[in-house]
Amino acid sequence: MIELSVLDLVPVREGGTVGEALAESAKLAACAEAAGYKRFWVAEHHAMDGVAGGATSVVLAHIGQATSTIRIGAGGIMLPNHNPFVIAEQFGTLEALFPGRIDLGLGRAPGADMRISQALRRDLARVSDMFPQDVVELRALLTGEPELPIRATPGLGAQVELWMLGSSLFGAQLAAALGLPYAFASHFAPDYLDQALEVYRRQFRPSAALAQPHVMVAANVLCADSDEEAALLLTSMDQSFVALRSGNPGRLKPPLPGYRDSLPPSALAMLEHMRSVSAVGAPATVAASLGRIIERTRADEIVVSGATFDPAARRRSLELTKKALQ
């Protein structure tokens, strides 16, 4: 059976607090662990009122304390926002706290609009161009190969599993060149999915960490007792995405019956396109949809993304999804 993992944005509900969102993410991670998921990843986003995962390494320390066996990690750290040495220290610390459980997915996007570059005091255009060198430097800080003039402590020797993230051909090519596992962000950017996976597999060079290509595909997954219930729960995510693309992001809203019927054709088409790599419905529907995604991509793992206004519904979705694929 294919491995399943979880991607969480630490969503903040309308009327809720950041503290509540963090507590619910810890509950979700514990649920994923009990259900048999392989990994629980948190994504770095900034300056978004409805997303509380910006301080990703701190959130992962919180998640680690709530779990004991599931792998935890960043899906991902947007490396242009950071100094590689600091990330090596942070994730070396996490690996010391939770040995054998830490993943570090690396992305090139800023994770927010260009105001973030001013807030972070980073020239994101310049450091994005340096992304391949920064990835190599970060790997060297963790592995000691090649040896660098300065050592990250903690960090050096930490058994952190590095991943490359991407939504275009760039990440696929870099992952292949460095011999890293590759995760494609098809849950929100499906356009280059098939082409990127073909490039990654064809160009892959074995490394000390990985002998053959290893692909993770991200999918929007929401499983409920019926197709109708799942479709209603999905409208919370739909509202968030439309608000984001309209330049007015906010907190996660309650489900809204008939929401899609209220949208203009352009917004509906945008939603349908963005959700093209999805599995939404009752267990049988979700199993069939994921089966088609797996057959299409030949993925080694699927990471399920999504959010529900009622956190208990997301936990139930994880449980139903895992059982549906067994």
Side-chain angles (χ1 to χ4, degrees):
M1 186 181 70
I2 193 167
E3 296 278 9
L4 292 180
S5 298
V6 179
L7 175 63
D8 187 41
L9 300 186
V10 195
V12 184
R13 297 188 298 166
E14 192 174 75
T17 67
V18 169
E20 290 170 352
L22 291 165
E24 291 296 345
S25 285
K27 289 181 183 178
L28 186 68
C31 172
E33 181 175 85
Y37 284 77
K38 185 173 184 178
R39 313 173 194 273
F40 189 92
W41 282 6
V42 175
E44 175 188 348
H45 292 279
H46 297 286
M48 297 177 67
D49 192 43
V51 178
T56 310
S57 59
V58 180
V59 176
L60 291 174
H62 170 62
I63 298 298
Q65 292 290 346
T67 54
S68 58
T69 58
I70 193 170
R71 296 191 67 88
I72 58 175
I77 287 292
M78 301 298 107
L79 196 55
N81 295 341
H82 307 281
N83 181 293
F85 187 84
V86 173
I87 296 301
E89 288 183 324
Q90 290 178 1
F91 280 78
T93 301
L94 286 168
E95 203 276 332
L97 290 169
F98 313 108
R101 296 176 57 198
I102 301 302
D103 299 333
L104 173 51
L106 301 171
R108 188 173 62 143
D113 62 40
M114 297 310 294
R115 295 173 299 172
I116 286 299
S117 64
Q118 297 176 334
L120 295 173
R121 295 177 172 83
R122 303 279 283 174
D123 180 350
L124 291 184
R126 182 180 63 84
V127 293
S128 292
D129 290 339
M130 295 174 58
F131 179 70
Q133 297 96 309
D134 283 349
V135 173
V136 171
E137 179 183 344
L138 175 55
R139 182 167 67 173
L141 286 164
L142 293 170
T143 65
E145 297 178 6
E147 186 175 353
L148 300 178
I150 188 169
R151 293 186 174 188
T153 306
L156 182 63
Q159 299 300 304
V160 175
E161 188 172 298
L162 283 181
W163 284 71
M164 184 61 56
L165 311 184
S167 58
S168 68
L169 302 187
F170 178 88
Q173 293 167 333
L174 185 57
L178 297 179
L180 295 176
Y182 179 53
F184 192 88
S186 39
H187 62 304
F188 73 89
D191 288 353
Y192 293 98
L193 172 61
D194 302 292
Q195 190 176 356
L197 298 190
E198 190 278 328
V199 166
Y200 169 67
R201 289 176 172 129
R202 174 166 46 84
Q203 298 184 6
F204 182 83
R205 301 178 190 171
S207 68
L210 192 64
Q212 58 188 18
H214 188 94
V215 165
M216 176 189 282
V217 170
N220 298 290
V221 178
L222 210 170
C223 194
D225 290 321
S226 68
D227 289 351
E228 294 76 16
E229 181 187 0
L232 177 60
L233 292 172
L234 184 69
T235 60
S236 293
M237 290 174 58
D238 289 344
Q239 291 175 78
S240 291
F241 187 74
V242 170
L244 176 64
R245 287 298 175 93
S246 302
N248 188 33
R251 298 193 170 191
L252 189 66
K253 295 181 181 298
L256 184 60
Y259 175 68
R260 288 200 170 201
D261 295 335
S262 72
L263 293 174
S266 58
L268 185 59
M270 175 184 65
L271 267 184
E272 292 294 340
H273 175 70
M274 194 274 293
R275 301 274 191 238
S276 61
V277 183
S278 297
V280 178
T285 304
V286 166
S289 297
L290 286 176
R292 289 190 291 270
I293 292 169
I294 294 164
E295 182 179 10
R296 168 186 169 186
T297 64
R298 296 180 287 118
D300 301 290
E301 299 184 39
I302 296 289
V303 60
V304 304
S305 179
T308 57
F309 184 77
D310 179 0
R314 178 93 196 274
R315 295 194 294 271
R316 178 151 176 77
S317 175
L318 292 189
E319 293 167 347
L320 291 174
T321 299
K322 195 70 168 67
K323 290 177 182 177
L325 263 67
Q326 286 176 340

